[in-house]
Amino acid sequence: MTKLRALLLAAAVALLLVAAARADDDAGAADECGAGGEAAQADRARAKSLKIAAFFSILVCGALGCLLPVLGRRVPALRPDGDVFFLIKAFAAGVILATGFIHILPDAFENLTSECLPAGGPWQDFPFAGLGAMVGAIGTLIVDTVATGYFTRLHLKKGPGAEVVAVAAAPTAAVADVEKQAPPHDGGEHEGHVPVHTHATHGHAHGSTALVAAVGGGEDDKEHTLRHRVISQVLELGIVVHSVIIGISLGASEDPSTIKPLVVALSFHQMFEGMGLGGCIVQAKFKARSIVTMVLFFCLTTPVGILIGIGISSGYNENSPTALIVEGLLNSVAAGILVYMALVDLLAEDFMNPRVQSRGKLQLGINVSMLVGAGLMSMLAKWA
């Protein structure tokens, strides 16, 4: 999975570099689709200093957001099994959801319906941004289920034998038998098991019952370890694609009035996204080396994109047809990935958790936390 992420990132950067190298054929023309006139030397110098500030600010804020949940494991109140962690994760999931809907998807529609695209092409007649988002969401679903199935089969092969296979193959039948055997009027203990069994057969489980049966141990431990390893890596992929694009766009800009508000907005943007990713990394229980790799991978994507943008700023035309199509398609797919991950793997899992369902105050708290995260991230769309 790590090699796949690196390969996709390299492909995305390569495509954007090709787009940057190809200025519009009519770049000399003074119209809105051309590369535009030369910026004043003073503006270029000021823009460069702002880009350097953006590099370090985004790097630090991204690392801070990603490391807060990771280092919070040593604080009892911030552990994954605590109520505060549920609130932080709901906030971060709201941020990721708003990123997909408010920040990325509208940009994709704008790019793929631009008047600068060839008039005779299909771009004005078909909603390619919506198609890209759908492909991203469906592709994430396929990767999610296939990866879960792979882990299931892998642990089944390593299991003690037919008994494990039988338990994993028919979890719903076992649940049905247990529920049938429970006396209808028996109080206390048997009644407490029903919500758990019901939740295990719910659609949001994504095969987690089979995983738990295959590897043994408690449900909370094994399910979170295996499921969140898939979730965290797919989520990082969606975030990374978008981060590279915004980094290159910022680095290629020569207008200080445009860069200045972006520095603050994108710093908070990266910090909030890092909190969401960091929460998934904590629940995945990676080894220290894997945690460091994933955190560095996330923290460096936007700063590296800024450096690439600075390097190609002299020949980059963001309104060239190739740049618009490449950025629009990548943004639409990234939006689909983030929307799916936020709704299915982050929010739905926690909102359907028996602990949340049985506690009204906690349920209200995570709803408010989600709305606050989505609201704050939506406000940032005014500047970034």
Side-chain angles (χ1 to χ4, degrees), residues 147-378:
T148 302
Y150 169 77
F151 283 120
T152 302
R153 293 187 294 271
L154 180 64
H155 288 286
L156 282 174
K157 291 178 181 178
K158 295 180 179 180
E163 182 180 354
V164 174
V165 176
V167 174
T172 56
V175 171
D177 290 341
V178 172
E179 291 179 349
K180 286 179 181 179
Q181 292 173 7
H185 58 278
D186 194 9
E189 183 178 358
H190 291 291
E191 290 180 358
H193 285 298
V194 173
V196 179
H197 293 322
T198 303
H199 177 67
T201 58
H202 195 279
H204 293 301
H206 295 293
S208 59
T209 306
L211 282 173
V212 175
V215 298
E219 179 177 348
D220 290 339
D221 184 33
K222 298 300 181 181
E223 179 181 347
H224 288 182
T225 299
L226 295 175
R227 283 289 305 136
H228 283 281
R229 287 186 179 181
V230 177
I231 292 172
S232 59
Q233 296 190 48
V234 177
L235 176 62
E236 184 172 21
L237 175 61
I239 293 175
V240 160
V241 171
H242 173 57
S243 296
V244 171
I245 294 174
I246 61 176
I248 291 178
S249 298
L250 189 151
S253 177
E254 297 291 351
D255 186 0
S257 62
T258 300
I259 299 174
K260 193 172 182 178
L262 282 177
V263 175
V264 178
L266 291 179
S267 296
F268 282 104
H269 182 281
Q270 289 298 101
M271 184 173 68
F272 291 154
E273 284 188 342
M275 289 174 64
L277 179 61
C280 290
I281 291 175
V282 168
Q283 291 182 302
K285 298 180 181 178
F286 284 109
K287 295 181 180 179
R289 181 178 178 181
S290 298
I291 292 176
V292 171
T293 301
M294 294 187 70
V295 171
L296 286 177
F297 194 76
F298 165 77
C299 295
L300 292 175
T301 48
T302 301
V304 169
I306 293 174
L307 294 179
I308 295 174
I310 293 174
I312 64 176
S313 58
S314 59
Y316 181 76
N317 176 18
E318 63 181 6
N319 290 320
S320 69
T322 308
L324 288 171
I325 292 171
V326 171
E327 290 185 13
L329 291 176
L330 288 176
N331 269 331
S332 64
V333 172
I337 293 174
L338 294 184
V339 168
Y340 174 91
M341 298 300 296
L343 289 175
V344 177
D345 283 331
L346 299 180
L347 290 174
E349 180 178 346
D350 283 351
F351 277 50
M352 298 304 298
N353 190 298
R355 179 174 181 175
V356 174
Q357 291 286 308
S358 62
R359 299 175 62 185
K361 290 184 179 180
L362 180 58
Q363 189 174 42
L364 176 63
I366 65 172
N367 275 277
V368 172
S369 183
M370 174 197 65
L371 292 175
V372 170
L376 290 177
M377 197 64 179
S378 298

Side-chain angles (χ1 to χ4, degrees), residues 43-68:
D43 286 346
R44 286 182 178 273
R46 188 183 176 197
K48 187 174 181 179
S49 63
L50 287 173
K51 293 174 189 177
I52 295 174
F55 177 92
F56 290 104
S57 176
I58 292 174
L59 178 64
V60 171
C61 288
L64 180 63
C66 205
L67 288 174
L68 274 176

Side-chain angles (χ1 to χ4, degrees), residues 6-28:
L7 179 61
L8 289 176
L9 175 61
V13 173
L15 287 172
L16 289 174
L17 287 174
V18 171
R22 283 192 54 189
D24 209 39
D25 292 335
D26 299 325

